């Protein structure tokens, strides 16, 4: 079983949401099987199977903006959050970049995706073992 569940927000209409989703996928790729994605919408719908996935594991949430929909709803579903990231905070470190749009990430946007995934993996020491 994966050590961490990764839940991105469902941001639509802004580049921050697109980055959150891609960063969640990239984190899972870099983790070599130590992370697994969980669908936020599935959790929010109150589905018991989705809630069950959060039992006895730690969660990583990646949110586009300060509303922090992923973090708020993971907590409401009883999940324990080990790491919570906001795309907006990462973007502040790179003022003036052109990340792309809600539907298309430019090279700068992919760099932010990579930075977020790399930071999470470094912080939690993920992806150090060979893929299973
Ligand atoms: S955290 Fe912000 S960008 Fe993400 S779903 Fe919520 S309101 Fe939208």
């Amino acid at each position: 079983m994966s050590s961490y569940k990764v839940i991105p927000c469902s941001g639509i209409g802004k580049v921050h949401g697109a980055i959150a989703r891609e960063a969640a996928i990239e984190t899972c790729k870099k983790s070599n099987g130590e992370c697994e994605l969980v669908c936020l919408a599935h959790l929010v719908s109150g589905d018991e199977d989705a809630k069950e996935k959060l039992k006895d594991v730690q969660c990583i949430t990646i949110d586009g903006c300060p509303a922090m929909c992923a973090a708020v709803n993971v907590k409401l579903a009883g999940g324990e959050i080990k790491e919570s990231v906001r795309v907006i905070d990462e973007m502040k470190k790179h003022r003036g970049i052109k990340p792309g749009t809600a539907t298309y990430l430019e090279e700068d946007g992919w760099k932010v995706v990579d930075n977020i995934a790399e930071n999470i993996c470094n912080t939690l020491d993920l992806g150090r073992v060979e893929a299973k």
Side-chain angles (χ1 to χ4, degrees):
M1 190 175 72
S2 53
S3 310
Y4 294 95
K5 302 297 182 193
V6 184
I7 304 97
C9 80
S10 306
I12 293 291
K14 281 189 181 172
V15 69
H16 299 72
I19 290 175
R21 283 193 304 281
E22 295 295 346
I25 293 167
E26 191 58 28
T27 299
C28 290
K29 283 185 191 165
K30 285 185 191 295
S31 78
N32 279 343
E34 292 178 79
C35 290
E36 182 190 19
L37 289 167
V38 172
C39 175
L40 180 62
H42 202 193
L43 270 182
V44 172
S45 72
D47 185 277
E48 288 305 320
D49 287 344
K51 284 186 184 174
E52 192 67 27
K53 285 188 179 177
L54 303 190
K55 270 194 181 166
D56 303 323
V57 293
Q58 292 183 312
C59 299
I60 299 164
T61 56
I62 306 178
D63 279 299
C65 78
M68 299 186 76
C69 299
V72 166
N73 284 290
V74 163
K75 277 185 204 156
L76 284 173
E80 181 188 341
I81 298 175
K82 177 72 175 176
E83 187 73 5
S84 175
V85 175
R86 302 190 320 176
V87 172
I88 198 165
D89 295 332
E90 185 64 28
M91 300 277 277
K92 282 179 190 162
K93 296 179 199 164
H94 309 280
R95 289 191 194 277
I97 63 166
K98 293 185 171 55
T101 67
T103 54
Y104 182 82
L105 295 184
E106 299 284 354
E107 195 179 332
D108 282 350
W110 287 110
K111 280 184 190 160
V112 175
V113 166
D114 205 52
N115 284 348
I116 290 172
E118 192 71 33
N119 287 342
I120 291 170
C121 288
N122 286 339
T123 301
L124 300 178
D125 202 25
L126 297 172
R128 308 283 179 246
V129 294
E130 290 296 312
K132 293 165 194 155

